[in-house]
Amino acid sequence: MSDIVIKPIDNEIDKMKFIKFPWEIYKGDDNWVPPIIYDVRKNLDTIKNPFYKHAKIKLFFALDGKTIVGRIAAIINDNHNNKYNDKVGFFGYFECINSKEVSYALFDAAGYWLKENGMDTIRGPINLSINDEVGLLVEGYDKSPVLLMMYNPPYYEKLIEGYGFLKAKDLYAYIFGVDQIKINPKSIS
């Protein structure tokens, strides 16, 4: 692998490449459910999405030559920091080939941008806020993804922990059949 270059996203053409990059990572993965491009564009629209009235985001690519090999977003949510009286920045929209070099360069880029903007801690993965996709899948790769839960390749855990991130919280998704649901007959009449 040649030298990895981190490129900030600063135009709509690159933003669309950022949005479509996961198709490269999950090519051939039968359990991956692609996001709706329109929804991702809407979430990343800093003019129309009301989230950005109290937040900032910076998107980055990792390039190997002209080939995109990773992406990441650095996110500052002022509502979170005001509520918890801290200076936490977040990383999200993380997608990357299985490469320490690439993932570390992406984490460095997000971390530097967050630090330049006054943050002293970084958490993730979180795609904008706790109201969106959050966390890292660490087991259950043989199951279909769960709505609003992250889906990622198994190697992400090693890349993220290898960089030095520590688990802050366990998130669970439960699967049960509709025949296991007990419905009160009075509630449907």
Side-chain angles (χ1 to χ4, degrees):
M1 187 169 284
S2 63
D3 292 328
I4 299 303
V5 174
I6 299 299
K7 179 183 179 202
I9 308 296
D10 57 7
N11 63 63
E12 290 302 313
I13 292 170
D14 282 346
K15 188 185 283 185
M16 186 54 73
K17 290 178 187 175
F18 180 95
I19 291 167
K20 291 183 175 182
F21 176 69
W23 275 258
E24 294 299 315
I25 296 296
Y26 299 100
K27 195 181 321 180
D29 185 333
D30 293 335
N31 283 327
W32 182 61
V33 177
I36 298 169
I37 291 173
Y38 174 82
D39 288 343
V40 179
R41 283 188 78 180
K42 199 166 73 172
N43 282 347
L44 296 176
D45 188 330
T46 57
I47 295 169
K48 293 181 182 174
N49 185 342
F51 175 74
Y52 298 106
K53 289 180 182 173
H54 61 81
K56 298 195 269 196
I57 191 170
K58 187 67 179 176
L59 308 175
F60 299 93
F61 279 141
L63 298 168
D64 183 5
K66 292 185 178 185
T67 303
I68 299 169
V69 291
R71 72 174 194 179
I72 198 165
I75 304 154
I76 298 172
N77 182 343
D78 291 334
N79 282 358
H80 169 90
N81 288 322
N82 292 336
K83 179 176 182 173
Y84 295 103
N85 195 30
D86 56 20
K87 295 179 180 179
V88 174
F90 300 92
F91 77 88
Y93 294 96
F94 174 73
E95 300 290 356
C96 182
I97 63 170
N98 191 1
S99 166
K100 258 184 4 181
E101 180 186 5
V102 173
S103 64
Y104 289 14
L106 288 165
F107 295 137
D108 283 348
Y112 291 142
W113 184 84
L114 291 168
K115 188 172 184 177
E116 287 173 0
N117 284 275
M119 302 298 104
D120 61 17
T121 304
I122 184 171
R123 288 190 194 135
I126 185 167
N127 292 353
L128 293 189
S129 78
I130 196 73
N131 298 317
D132 301 292
E133 297 166 318
V134 72
L136 179 71
L137 184 64
V138 296
E139 60 184 63
Y141 295 100
D142 58 329
K143 307 273 189 279
S144 294
V146 178
L147 188 65
L148 289 178
M149 298 295 285
M150 292 286 203
Y151 182 82
N152 52 264
Y155 64 83
Y156 279 19
E157 181 178 14
K158 187 175 181 181
L159 294 178
I160 290 171
E161 287 180 347
Y163 187 76
F165 287 107
L166 302 172
K167 178 177 70 169
K169 185 173 289 221
D170 286 318
L171 301 172
Y172 296 96
Y174 297 95
I175 299 172
F176 56 93
V178 292
D179 59 325
Q180 295 172 294
I181 300 172
K182 305 247 188 271
I183 299 175
N184 180 346
K186 293 179 183 178
S187 67
I188 57 173
S189 55

